[in-house]
Amino acid sequence: MKNKILYGLTKFEKSANRYDWLGSGVYFWENDIQRAQSWAEEMHGKRAAVIGAKIQLGHCFDISNSSAKEILRIAYADLCKDLINSDAAIPVNRPHPKAKGNPDDNVLRYLDRVVIEHAMILVGDNEPSLFYDTVRAPFQEGFPVYPGSAFREHDHIHLCVRNAELLVDLFDPEEVD
């Protein structure tokens, strides 16, 4: 599959799991091939593969930015109102089902995914010509790197590419110097 994607014979499949942190799209670790490889091996065993990409961010919903966080606050409030009015439960982020890693991480991001997807809808409703091509966010994950540290062993920046046309250059990271 890796070579088929690298040679343009097939496209990435968008991830659309209920727990995907940043909504539907193709996911990348920003500047961390080692972390991507570790995750791929954990998820896919011997079939694991990592593909690097140069990505044009396009119109990026960057959650490290204050305005994006404000949009998320508005989207959350609107979503809660909608769910309460329809007698539906508000999703909750949950820890790993096999108790892997730090139990405080809540790596199954059911709530975050729904809020981000709702934010994308709200933005589109208010500005029909606006489409976010990518979603970018820092995440704390894992146990502290050292006692008392705010740095975690798996902290990373995650990038969700919603517009696959912005994957401008794919490469095999094992072949890069």
Side-chain angles (χ1 to χ4, degrees), residues 36-58:
Q37 184 68 41
S38 170
W39 178 88
E41 289 171 358
E42 182 179 320
M43 296 300 292
H44 303 287
K46 293 180 181 182
R47 297 183 313 122
V50 173
I51 295 175
K54 291 183 180 174
I55 302 167
Q56 293 177 345
L57 295 180

Side-chain angles (χ1 to χ4, degrees), residues 34-108:
Q34 182 180 355
R35 178 68 178 110
Q37 184 68 41
S38 170
W39 178 88
E41 289 171 358
E42 182 179 320
M43 296 300 292
H44 303 287
K46 293 180 181 182
R47 297 183 313 122
V50 173
I51 295 175
K54 291 183 180 174
I55 302 167
Q56 293 177 345
L57 295 180
H59 197 168
C60 181
F61 189 75
D62 188 343
I63 299 171
S64 67
N65 182 303
S66 296
S67 62
K69 287 190 269 284
E70 184 59 29
I71 291 170
L72 289 178
R73 280 187 200 95
I74 292 166
Y76 174 77
D78 189 69
L79 176 68
C80 287
K81 182 181 71 174
D82 289 352
L83 292 173
I84 289 168
N85 288 341
S86 64
D87 289 326
I90 297 170
V92 176
N93 293 336
R94 303 234 181 252
H96 196 288
K98 295 180 182 173
K100 290 184 179 182
N102 186 339
D104 295 331
D105 284 343
N106 290 329
V107 296
L108 299 179

Side-chain angles (χ1 to χ4, degrees), residues 106-128:
N106 290 329
V107 296
L108 299 179
R109 304 286 179 110
Y110 301 112
L111 174 63
D112 295 342
R113 176 190 184 6
V114 172
V115 172
I116 286 177
E117 291 293 350
H118 194 72
M120 298 298 107
I121 291 168
L122 288 178
V123 167
D125 287 349
N126 289 317
E127 292 186 54

Side-chain angles (χ1 to χ4, degrees), residues 21 29-30 32 35 137-141 154-158:
W21 304 7
W29 274 267
E30 186 174 300
D32 198 344
R35 178 68 178 110
F139 287 99
Q140 279 198 311
E141 183 181 5
H154 298 301
D155 286 356
H156 61 280
I157 297 174
H158 230 133

